[in-house]
Amino acid sequence: MYQRAGQYLSRLCVSFSFRNSFKMACSSGSADAGGISTEPVYFSDTYLFSYDEAVVMKVEERNAESGDTSTVVVTDKTIMHPQGGGQPSDQGVISTKAADGTDVVFQVVQVSKAKGSAEIQHVGNFVNGSSELMPVGQQ
């Protein structure tokens, strides 16, 4: 499933994890036609290694025809710092459960901020599950 602008999201579970730490819980949020804004939680606590209150706002597969098989996941909040100022981005895992109970694990290899917006993009690939199973808007 994919998030469309203006669609409201229901309660779902998402977990951020990196540096061998893992946690999971539930939250809620919404997107509007004006675009997605990701709250940079890392500004308030730079040493936070897991976070249990994020909502998947968008899952977008890149253009496989050009040879890029990665996927972009955007959440309403993130603890993963994007690349910038000569520093590499954080890497880690976003995990959740699909509606059918399947554990969905997304390996984040790069984090970047979309140009001209407050959207922070987590780029990577699914280790378990797929973009169709990432529960955008599902309980």
Side-chain angles (χ1 to χ4, degrees):
M1 285 191 201
Y2 294 93
Q3 164 65 34
R4 291 185 176 88
Q7 181 179 8
Y8 291 92
L9 303 178
S10 61
R11 186 175 170 87
L12 56 101
C13 300
V14 175
S15 172
F16 284 102
S17 174
F18 61 100
R19 299 189 184 130
N20 299 321
S21 182
F22 178 80
K23 203 170 186 181
M24 186 171 190
C26 298
S27 186
S28 62
S30 64
D32 60 32
I36 298 170
S37 179
T38 305
E39 179 185 337
V41 177
Y42 52 82
F43 280 143
S44 61
D45 186 351
T46 193
Y47 296 105
L48 194 60
F49 294 107
S50 65
Y51 190 71
D52 59 2
E53 294 185 21
V55 175
V56 175
M57 303 299 283
K58 177 171 74 172
V59 178
E60 182 177 279
E61 293 180 357
R62 294 248 172 117
N63 187 355
E65 292 175 8
S66 68
D68 187 353
T69 60
S70 62
T71 302
V72 175
V73 174
V74 178
T75 56
D76 68 334
K77 300 174 186 175
T78 186
I79 61 170
M80 294 186 186
H81 203 290
Q83 180 176 350
Q87 296 295 314
S89 72
D90 285 331
Q91 296 181 347
V93 171
I94 297 175
S95 61
T96 189
K97 282 209 182 282
D100 66 0
T102 303
D103 288 325
V104 180
V105 180
F106 182 75
Q107 182 71 45
V108 179
V109 296
Q110 181 182 11
V111 183
S112 60
K113 188 169 181 185
K115 291 182 181 179
S117 83
E119 179 179 295
I120 298 175
Q121 301 175 334
H122 305 86
V123 181
N125 293 290
F126 286 91
V127 175
N128 193 46
S130 65
S131 60
E132 290 82 24
L133 293 175
M134 184 62 86
V136 177
Q138 295 180 11
Q139 270 184 300

